[in-house]
Amino acid sequence: MATQDKPTAGGVVALAAAVAACALCLLPAPARAQLRVGFYDATCPNAEALVRQAVAAAFARDASIAAGLIRLHFHDCFVRGCDASVLLTVNPGGGKTEREAAPNNPSLRGFDVIDAAKATVEQSCPRIVSCADIVAFAARDSINLAGSVSYQVPAGRRDGRVSNESEANLNLPLPSSTAKVLTDKFAAKNLTVEEMVILSGAHTVGRSFCSSFLDRIYNGSTPIVGSGLSAGYATLLRALCPPNANQSTLTTTAIDPSTPAVLDNNYYKLLPLNLGLFFSDNQLRVNATLNAFVNNFAANETLWKERFAAAMVKMGHTEVQTGRCGEVRLNCSVVNPTSSSAELGSSAPAVDDEGVAAS
């Protein structure tokens, strides 16, 4: 009968460390290492500048990319936390990825900008800066370019190794969401009702495919009257979108028809005029509690921008992996190759809570 080799002392220690680290990753975020502003000051001091340059170059070519990068961060954080899982093109466990889910495909964009930023960062500081942090930096830089809003991003996120289409379908709020669904989905991510209204203001930039609002302008092939859209706006949308439009119909329209490339509070001013494009936008108007916040932000752009920056920072802490959890991906689209010495999914050098490479 064949005998099994006895594990070496070193192997037992390594296995115990791996198990302990995996258990740590399952703890609530407050029990783990926290994100920190200036996390890469010692290991990659030019990381944020390099990301900013990549975003600025893309913005100069197409200002609408800012909306795409803001949305990319949002859709990343709402599924498995802010771990860059939305960037993966292959799920090691099999099945479709988040990128292939209906809320993301074909509307989600900005992947090429993240890849460009990652490439320049890797040239300067190999295997140090996570894709999840790059996504957070890129969203911040997009907000600054589109709305002149500045804030600091705490960093130290690690990249996840799982990306499931089904989880994206389950967790992401949809343009058809009711007020209750919206508040429940945001509450599940530790975001308040007010923060939900604040973050919805990101709809002041960006574009939408016809399929996201088709049920507001047609019932089958019959035009709808009284869906919460002004008659004139609905007529314009019907001229743009045929009743048989679907996800393969690539026609788009600005979500904010007045200032579509500027991150401002115009979104809130449009809602009382029945110019909220999505059913979910109109829910903020017809729900009394939510509408009170809408009125506050419509009247005070400075207040909204301040709270928007704070809400983005808070959202960026959602279910993060830090310390030895997760990995630092070498290529944002695929997980790192596994090895016996990287059982936790990281072939990059471990970085401690101060952003310093561990021995």
Side-chain angles (χ1 to χ4, degrees):
M1 184 174 65
T3 58
Q4 293 182 330
D5 292 335
K6 296 178 64 176
T8 64
V12 171
V13 171
L15 178 61
V19 170
C22 286
L24 180 63
C25 293
L26 299 176
L27 291 174
R32 302 199 304 265
Q34 298 300 299
L35 305 182
R36 181 173 60 83
V37 171
F39 183 81
Y40 297 109
D41 284 354
T43 54
C44 191
N46 59 345
E48 295 190 46
L50 292 173
V51 175
R52 189 177 303 115
Q53 290 169 13
V55 173
F59 185 83
R61 294 190 299 269
D62 176 9
S64 70
I65 194 61
L69 290 167
I70 296 168
R71 186 166 179 257
L72 191 64
H73 185 37
F74 178 93
H75 281 224
D76 180 38
C77 291
F78 261 62
V79 185
R80 305 191 73 87
C82 310
D83 67 345
S85 56
V86 74
L87 306 181
L88 291 174
T89 56
V90 177
N91 182 10
K96 292 185 177 181
T97 65
E98 293 172 34
R99 286 174 71 155
E100 298 172 272
N104 294 332
N105 183 29
S107 60
L108 206 59
R109 57 195 295 251
F111 300 105
D112 56 333
V113 181
I114 301 301
D115 288 342
K118 176 65 171 176
T120 59
V121 170
E122 282 296 308
Q123 289 178 354
S124 179
C125 316
R127 304 163 67 191
I128 294 294
V129 182
S130 71
C131 299
D133 278 340
I134 290 175
V135 171
F137 294 149
R140 183 266 315 274
D141 298 335
S142 296
I143 290 167
N144 180 252
L145 289 167
S148 300
V149 178
S150 299
Y151 62 93
Q152 293 185 304
V153 172
R157 299 167 188 80
R158 302 268 287 182
D159 300 323
R161 293 179 54 84
V162 177
S163 181
N164 287 321
E165 175 194 30
S166 60
E167 293 182 349
N169 290 330
L170 177 66
N171 286 279
L172 290 171
L174 301 175
S176 58
S177 295
T178 64
K180 184 179 188 325
V181 170
L182 289 171
T183 54
D184 286 350
K185 286 187 180 290
F186 276 74
K189 305 303 175 185
N190 195 36
L191 294 164
T192 67
V193 171
E194 181 181 16
E195 287 164 339
M196 182 273 286
V197 177
I198 291 167
L199 291 169
S200 295
H203 286 175
T204 191
V205 290
R207 303 183 66 83
S208 171
F209 289 92
C210 295
S211 57
S212 293
F213 57 85
L214 202 68
D215 58 357
R216 301 200 72 204
I217 56 178
Y218 294 108
N219 179 11
S221 60
T222 304
I224 293 177
V225 178
S227 66
L229 284 175
S230 75
Y233 191 26
T235 299
L236 288 174
L237 294 174
R238 280 192 289 270
L240 180 71
C241 300
N244 63 345
N246 54 41
Q247 282 195 293
S248 63
T249 304
L250 300 184
T251 303
T252 63
T253 187
I255 302 175
D256 173 353
S258 299
T259 56
V262 181
L263 192 82
D264 55 20
N265 70 334
N266 200 52
Y267 167 79
Y268 301 104
K269 297 177 182 179
L270 295 175
L271 295 182
L273 304 176
N274 289 345
L275 296 175
L277 182 61
F278 303 134
F279 177 84
S280 59
D281 294 329
N282 196 53
Q283 289 288 284
L284 272 59
R285 179 185 69 85
V286 300
N287 180 285
T289 300
L290 305 182
N291 192 55
F293 295 121
V294 168
N295 291 335
N296 287 342
F297 299 135
N300 192 332
E301 181 171 276
T302 299
L303 174 67
W304 173 69
K305 286 186 172 181
E306 289 175 351
R307 295 194 179 175
F308 182 69
M312 287 295 293
V313 171
K314 182 177 176 181
M315 185 190 73
H317 284 74
T318 303
E319 300 165 15
V320 294
Q321 298 190 50
T322 59
R324 293 181 178 274
C325 301
E327 66 181 12
V328 174
R329 257 180 248 151
L330 307 183
N331 179 336
C332 289
S333 298
V334 295
V335 300
N336 295 341
T338 57
S339 69
S340 59
S341 62
E343 210 44 53
L344 298 180
S346 177
S347 60
V351 177
D352 67 19
D353 297 341
E354 299 301 317
V356 179
S359 58

